[in-house]
Amino acid sequence: KVGEDRRGDNGNWPSPRSACGLGEFEDTVFLFGGYTKMGKALGGTDESRGMVHNDTWCFDLKTNGWSKVRKAGIPPTPRCGFSSAVHKKRNLVVFGGVLDVYEKQDLKSTFY
């Protein structure tokens, strides 16, 4: 059924997020990174802060299920707002993006 979530192999699916990257190959859509606002509804203590991800997931369009992808090599640092594309049927290439880190009362941004 279109629009129906089914648990992946590991019993999970990605957390809600924005500014993530997507890439597609055949019947699989890959998702990397993104930003989740950690408001009080998600257990956060400050409405203005969030979490930047560096996890990778795949969605199988045939089974309508999510699976977490085990990364090989050195994974990209957490980031959101970047560009991505699938290369040679097996590599999700990530370029650019931003990582915001809160230190005491300051916001420090790293741009890639």
Side-chain angles (χ1 to χ4, degrees):
K1 223 176 174 187
V2 175
E4 177 183 319
D5 282 327
R6 291 204 316 201
R7 293 184 181 271
D9 296 339
N10 59 5
N12 292 316
W13 48 77
S15 60
R17 59 188 72 190
S18 62
C20 56
L22 296 174
E24 169 269 328
F25 175 69
E26 292 180 351
D27 289 325
T28 304
V29 177
F30 295 92
L31 175 146
F32 173 79
Y35 175 81
T36 300
K37 191 163 184 175
M38 299 298 291
K40 293 178 183 172
L42 294 175
T45 57
D46 184 346
E47 280 294 324
S48 65
R49 295 194 181 189
M51 176 180 186
V52 180
H53 302 276
N54 78 330
D55 54 348
T56 304
W57 294 83
C58 67
F59 185 77
D60 187 321
L61 295 169
K62 290 180 182 175
T63 64
N64 206 27
W66 286 101
S67 298
K68 192 162 187 177
V69 176
R70 290 178 33 193
K71 294 169 266 192
I74 301 170
T77 56
R79 62 186 72 191
C80 59
F82 54 90
S83 296
S84 63
V86 174
H87 177 255
K88 292 192 177 182
K89 305 179 185 178
R90 60 180 292 250
N91 298 308
L92 183 66
V93 179
V94 173
F95 179 79
V98 64
L99 170 62
D100 291 337
V101 176
Y102 294 93
E103 293 179 357
K104 298 183 183 175
Q105 297 297 323
D106 290 337
L107 170 64
K108 182 179 177 182
S109 295
T110 303
F111 293 90
Y112 297 97

